[in-house]
Amino acid sequence: MEQEPIVEEKEFDLKLLLSKHLKYWYLFVFSMALALGAAWFYNWYTAPVYRVACKVLIKDDATAGTRSLLKELDVSVVNKNMENEMEILRSHRIVDGALDQLEFGTTYFLIGNIKTSEVYTDCPFKLTYDSVHHYAYFIPLFVNIINSDEFDFRYELEGAQPFSARGHFGKSLDTPLGTFVLERRSHFNHALLNDPKYEIRNYKIQLHGRERLRNYYTQRLNISPISTQSTIVEISMLDEVPQKGVDFLNALVQTYLQHDINEKNRNAARTAVFIEGQLDKISLDLESIENSRELYMTDKGIVDLSTESQMILETARRIDQEIAGNRARKSMVGFLKEYVRNNNELSELAPSSLNIYDPLLVSLIEKLINLETDRERVTVELKAGNPQLVPLDAEIRVTRALLLENINNIEKSIEANNQELERELASVKSRIAVIPKTERELIGIEREYRIQESLYLYLLEKKAEVSISLAASSSDNRIVDGARASLGPVRPVTSKTYSIAMILGLLIPIVLVYGIHQLDDKVRNLETIESLTTIPVIGAVGVNKDESNLVLVSRPQSAIAEAYRSIRTNLKFFGVDEQHKVILITSSVGTEGKTFSAMNLASVLALGGSRVVLLGLDLRKPRIIDDFQLSNEIGISTHLSGQHSIDEIVQRSGVIDTFDIIPSGPIPPNPSELIMGQKMNEMMDELKSRYDYIIIDSPPLGLVTDALILMKFAALSIFVVRFASTSKHHLRHVEHLHKQGRLGKIAVLFNAVKFSGAQGGYGYGYGYGYGSGKGYGYYEDAASKTGVFSKLRRLFSR
């Protein structure tokens, strides 16, 4: 199985990397210009979005009066839960209250030549309506202002004829969708509309239904505590019109604070009603007892009680006050019990969130409030009967049942305390029994009077406290920071957009160039040759720009001529000498410069004083005769077929005395059979005796088998690889033949190399090879490179 050649790890070559991309500089310029242009258009066209935020401090909502009353009754309240308050802030009731204060049901857009942008209150008019067809909420309405008094109104409804009408500001306009009125805004200079040169006249109007508008703003709201230890929450949202966002958040917070005040007033009012009812009842009893006492004292002629009776009366009064307090607490607990039993929300309690110093009652009330809040939030998102509500409803029922059981236990505890007090009171009554009858009866009347009087005064004091709290009611929550918009848009961020554009402007052409190089199957540098084959490279030759292919003769001081001299020197490292004198030149296809390489290699050997013969053994497509202006009527084909002798087919090159040429001759019908015959062996033996070097211009290796047949005569085969022409696939094929041992001793000659580095090759001129030098800047080819990019490349190569 064929194995890929092992690629040696090489050091990173920045100069090589830059040279690969310098050729495509125009792609970078175009990509960068396009990316920056797109970034500018995006920044200009995209409506900027601003962040609007405010901060609110959430505190416990129990007023001083209510809290004092509940503590006096041995009742405590539940502090506000942050999660609940954040849900209240985004609840439909609060959002609807905020929207009621604003004109968000109608959105106004200014239609420009390219983009359309929202104008909010900068619109010169305001649209009002009483009721409209529901289609009006789904189609845009268009207004074209004619002057300060008239406008054109139009809309298009699918399946119906477009509607268009001329209207007047301040007057009703009847349409199939409803009756509209466009009123002029007072802050706008309407005289501008009478100027024909004023172009800002086209507007689009979009109506919004309340439910759709509420959902839109609810989803945009972001409410979160500023820290885990703080009760300050930040309310923020994103809006394309910063003032619109500021107005909404301010309205939202004011609605929330007013809602808090209303809840406190409602609870205090319910408490006041409860106290008022108790006062009315006690007042009647007190009046009746007072009349009875006065009549009894007058009838019996009693002015005052004795000292002993006073002491007994005080003891009884103390016990009676405690019993009355228990009755009041029991009444409040009974009120709570009925409230819970009727499945009312605990947030609607008169004494809100009762907690009679019982930890279990506190936790159950808090849990039930949280569960009811969760259910309300989930119900907004889900339909009734949804399976997700089943476990939540079950937990609410269980919690409510546990709460009722706990309230029953509290009632039993109060009743047990009352029984103890009744026993103590019975002892006091036994002492009263020994007192004379008249005084004893007066003590009973006085005792009843003082009980009712103390309870009446107590409730009267609490009524005054609740009344004061109602009169001075305010929210415990307060605004820490009012709504403010960010100084700059959160998107698009101009600097970020341009940074991304610059990165993409560089990255796209880099990826494109990388893809071009990856998809390119042509050999363009020596690294590719070294990575695809283990065959050594004997040299590299630059591009021939002369008309003549005999560069050694026409331009002996050129870089190409020096490259062939370097190759001539390198031949000895491959074992080529006068004993092993045959050199075969081939390539993968017929356009890679094998004939050019053969004639110039022969020329440089001849110039060194050696006798050289160049054999045109590409019998199928002879080309040597064109450059030397020789006749091809006779040649190798006629000799191998027995028509002519060697002396008859040998011709002088006409350029160098020791350089002879044997052309291929007429194209035979059986080239392969001719070069495989015994005559070919005899001809090579004869030529070896006459010449120091024999250069064979063979057919391409990748097309026919003639080159493989001829390689048995060669001491060295040179495979010509042409820059940007030879396929990597052909090079892999040669490597495969080399590993099979079918090519003998072979070397690679890199031909037509562009040493400027613009094609991804090495950025310097050289004759590559063993012992060869690098840098031919003093030769004619290199000296002619005076362009701007050539100078830049030479700068990078230093």
Side-chain angles (χ1 to χ4, degrees), residues 263-279:
E263 286 296 308
K264 291 171 63 178
N265 287 343
R266 181 170 58 179
N267 293 339
R270 288 177 181 269
T271 304
V273 170
F274 175 80
I275 294 174
E276 188 69 34
Q278 296 296 317
L279 282 173

Side-chain angles (χ1 to χ4, degrees), residues 722-749:
R722 187 180 180 90
F723 175 86
S725 178
T726 301
S727 170
K728 295 176 183 177
H729 170 72
H730 290 152
L731 203 55
R732 293 189 186 96
H733 177 64
V734 172
E735 172 65 14
H736 179 65
L737 295 176
H738 174 59
K739 286 186 174 182
Q740 291 180 338
R742 299 175 61 185
L743 303 181
K745 187 176 292 186
I746 187 172
V748 171
L749 190 154

